[in-house]
Amino acid sequence: METPELVVHGQTASFSTALRSLVNNPRYSDVCFVVGQERQEIFAHRCLLACRCNFFQRLLGTELGPGVPSPVVLSTVPAEAFLAVLEFLYTNSVKLHRHSVAVTFGLGPLQERCIAFIEAHSQEALRTRGFVELSAAALLPLLRSDKLCVDEVELVRAAWSWARVGAAVLERPVAEVAAPVVRELRLALLAPAELSALEEQNRREPFIPVEQIVEAWKCHALRRGDAAPGAPCRRRRGTLPREHHRFLDLPFR
């Protein structure tokens, strides 16, 4: 008869506290990141990052040579957001706030919690520097969300600002930078006067494809939400009511 095994569990709080003390601690660190436009040095530990995150496993996967390894430069990542990611990797928990939700490095659970946080604090998050520094891949699931607590007019403005910043940094046209995400804006939710103003601004500074605006006008003309299949018009949690919404049959999901 086999002797039953005894599993001993230690205190999770003290374990987490001990690991948290290693975040950005140069002691025993074997990798240094130079992060953000301010080029802040942040210290970490290769083995821990590599075993916790595929992104860092690929980034740090090369063999260490003799001497002191060169710092890893991440100039487009805000330092505060990067520290939040490290804290999550080291301790499996992190306290999110509006300045630290921009970078997830492909961490599914952290990304889901970041999106949920932005959904609940949409207006504040859209005004942060971290929002305009999002990649297109990070912005896309936000614009697809029905749970954003913000009206579509404000969301269009925020996406336009995001594209302008990206265009300046990448030295590319605003419309080209916006192309991967702009289709997720729900223009049919805008009132006719708002859509007209948007169309006029778009003539001066191209941002949204003309055919996308045409599809929104088609929904207005036919007074049907399904009149233009390419024009998403589901209400978001923060969508303000407008007179024409009753014609479009717009449930919130």
Side-chain angles (χ1 to χ4, degrees):
M1 183 176 179
E2 294 184 2
T3 305
E5 296 179 350
L6 176 65
V7 179
V8 179
H9 295 280
Q11 293 292 324
T12 56
S14 59
F15 179 73
S16 180
T17 299
L19 286 175
R20 187 173 283 108
S21 71
L22 295 177
V23 176
N24 197 20
N25 188 339
R27 191 176 187 184
Y28 308 126
S29 169
D30 56 1
V31 62
C32 176
F33 296 90
V34 177
V35 180
Q37 296 179 355
E38 299 81 9
R39 297 184 63 82
Q40 180 178 336
E41 286 190 339
I42 296 178
F43 300 94
H45 307 81
R46 284 174 175 265
C47 63
L48 199 152
L49 298 184
C51 75
R52 288 279 285 146
C53 176
N54 289 335
F55 171 85
F56 286 110
Q57 188 177 71
R58 294 190 299 270
L59 182 67
L60 306 174
T62 55
E63 293 292 329
L64 289 175
V68 179
S70 301
V72 179
V73 179
L74 299 172
S75 58
T76 61
V77 179
E80 194 166 4
F82 187 72
L83 285 169
V85 170
L86 289 190
E87 184 175 350
F88 181 81
L89 291 175
Y90 277 65
T91 68
N92 213 36
S93 66
V94 64
K95 184 177 181 180
L96 295 176
H97 53 82
R98 63 190 179 95
H99 297 292
S100 62
V101 296
V103 183
T104 62
F105 296 109
L107 298 169
L110 182 58
Q111 184 182 50
E112 292 170 6
R113 284 161 177 77
C114 287
I115 290 175
F117 182 91
I118 293 175
E119 288 171 341
H121 304 85
S122 304
Q123 293 188 2
E124 298 92 335
L126 295 185
R127 299 188 187 105
T128 65
R129 172 181 163 185
F131 178 80
V132 296
E133 292 176 342
L134 288 172
S135 67
L139 181 58
L140 201 56
L142 291 176
L143 296 184
R144 287 174 175 165
S145 172
D146 293 343
K147 298 179 182 178
L148 290 176
C149 295
V150 64
D151 187 61
E152 207 66 21
V153 169
E154 191 170 347
L155 191 58
V156 169
R157 289 196 197 105
W160 213 319
S161 297
W162 170 86
R164 288 190 188 106
V165 171
V169 171
L170 300 173
E171 298 182 345
R172 290 161 51 194
V174 169
E176 184 180 328
V177 172
V181 302
V182 74
R183 275 284 175 187
E184 302 304 325
L185 295 173
R186 305 176 185 182
L187 303 186
L189 294 177
L190 304 184
E194 295 166 331
L195 192 55
S196 293
L198 175 67
E199 189 172 25
E200 179 59 33
Q201 185 179 359
N202 198 64
R203 289 195 188 100
R204 298 193 301 269
E205 182 188 9
F207 166 59
I208 298 171
V210 173
E211 58 269 21
Q212 186 175 348
I213 298 177
V214 171
E215 288 171 349
W217 278 122
K218 187 175 181 181
C219 290
H220 279 278
L222 299 179
R223 294 190 172 189
R224 286 172 46 203
D226 60 352
C233 56
R234 289 190 312 277
R235 286 181 293 181
R236 304 182 198 269
R237 183 167 287 165
T239 300
L240 298 176
R242 292 164 173 82
E243 177 65 21
H244 74 287
H245 288 180
R246 63 194 178 96
F247 299 114
L248 299 180
D249 187 26
L250 302 176
F252 168 72
R253 293 198 305 184

